Amino acid sequence: MAGLNGSMVSEFVLLGLSTTWETKVFLMFTFSLLYLVIILGNFFIVFLIIVDRQLHSPMYFLLANLSFNDVWVSSTTIPKMISDILSEHNVISFQGCMIQICFIHIMGGVEMVLLIAMAFDRYTAICKPLHYLSIMSPKRCVSFVALGWVVGVVHAMSQFSFVINLPFCGPNQIDSFYCDFPRIIKLACLDGVKFEFVVAANSGFMSMGTFFLLLLSYVFILITVWKRSSGDLSKALVTLSAHITVVVLFFTPCMFLYVWPFPTSSADKYLFIADFAITPALNPVIYTLRNKDILIAIQRLGKWIHYTRFC
């Protein structure tokens, strides 16, 4: 792969998050714990939705796919970051860097489409309850997931096809804990303005468009609830507040980094901790502790385990 662009750089150096030993130890334990929560929490949601027939509905089908995708979103960067924290030479091969970039943007594209699908599901359930089952049919739900993967792959490859052909012949230090298009373009041995524009037109437009589309859907939901409940929005606000928080946490770093011109500070690497660690860890909490159907399903699972253990 390195030979395709005539690159003289065979590896990149990731500068990571911190240089002090005490902070590195703290970060290692913190991100190890977060990653454990992400893996166990999201896979538990997937397992519960698969085994409990009461959860075989459009909303939970989309939730299972979101949880599965969250595991892969965090796995693209967090394991590598944990292993690099205590290492003195944090390097990633040119091929490994390109692969990481592709997976980050594929999974990011899938995540955005799934969030839109889940917002559409809630909008349909609240605003058009009589037509919910016909609109959110199994075929349409599968189509949403398939569309997410198509969008993710096209989104990633449309930018990757430009970056892979850039010449890298000089500096190879990336002031971050992961590889991404903006940082890589700045290391190329040519004027990368037009390539920055391509990334901004793709990732920037996609991030901002999805973000405002989601906010618009939440506004429609709140307006509908307000009209039907004589101005009482308390329950709807409680339900949507957690979802809006996750959306803001996920999209703020994306819009900060990908909207042209690219930032030159190192603040974006700290912002993206929200995307790779905090948001995937929050989703299982939000969709279990705040969801009655999931809590009841957990109780049923507990009773079934107790019954099979003593019978």
Side-chain angles (χ1 to χ4, degrees), residues 68-79:
F68 182 75
N69 190 70
D70 277 341
V71 171
W72 289 107
V73 167
S74 60
S75 296
T76 56
T77 58
I78 300 300

Side-chain angles (χ1 to χ4, degrees), residues 7-52:
S7 174
M8 296 176 60
V9 173
S10 61
E11 63 184 20
F12 294 101
V13 178
L14 301 174
L15 299 184
L17 295 175
S18 176
T19 56
T20 64
W21 176 258
E22 294 79 7
T23 306
K24 285 184 176 183
V25 173
F26 171 77
L27 290 175
M28 186 192 70
F29 281 106
T30 300
F31 286 112
S32 296
L33 180 61
L34 280 173
Y35 189 60
L36 182 64
V37 170
I38 291 168
I39 297 296
L40 295 180
N42 284 288
F43 273 138
F44 176 74
I45 289 179
V46 173
F47 170 77
L48 189 66
I49 292 173
I50 291 174
V51 300
D52 195 308

Side-chain angles (χ1 to χ4, degrees), residues 273-308:
I273 292 175
D275 275 359
F276 296 126
I278 297 177
T279 302
L282 280 178
N283 281 343
V285 177
I286 290 172
Y287 293 109
T288 55
L289 298 182
R290 301 174 67 94
N291 188 300
K292 291 183 179 180
D293 292 337
I294 294 289
L295 291 175
I296 294 173
I298 293 174
Q299 293 176 358
R300 283 196 295 266
L301 179 62
K303 291 179 181 179
W304 180 80
I305 294 175
H306 178 79
Y307 176 80
T308 55

Side-chain angles (χ1 to χ4, degrees), residues 133-206:
L133 291 179
S134 60
I135 295 175
M136 294 302 297
S137 62
K139 182 179 179 180
R140 177 157 295 173
C141 292
V142 173
S143 297
F144 273 129
V145 176
L147 177 64
W149 283 97
V150 171
V151 169
V153 171
V154 172
H155 162 66
M157 292 302 141
S158 62
Q159 299 170 95
F160 180 77
S161 60
F162 289 96
V163 175
I164 191 62
N165 292 311
L166 294 179
F168 297 97
C169 54
N172 68 337
Q173 289 188 337
I174 302 174
D175 187 15
S176 186
F177 59 90
Y178 69 102
C179 293
D180 203 358
F181 289 127
R183 297 289 185 188
I184 293 297
I185 290 173
K186 289 185 178 298
L187 297 179
C189 302
L190 49 70
D191 185 4
V193 173
K194 65 177 181 180
F195 298 103
E196 290 182 1
F197 177 78
V198 170
V199 173
N202 190 316
S203 294
F205 176 79
M206 187 173 179

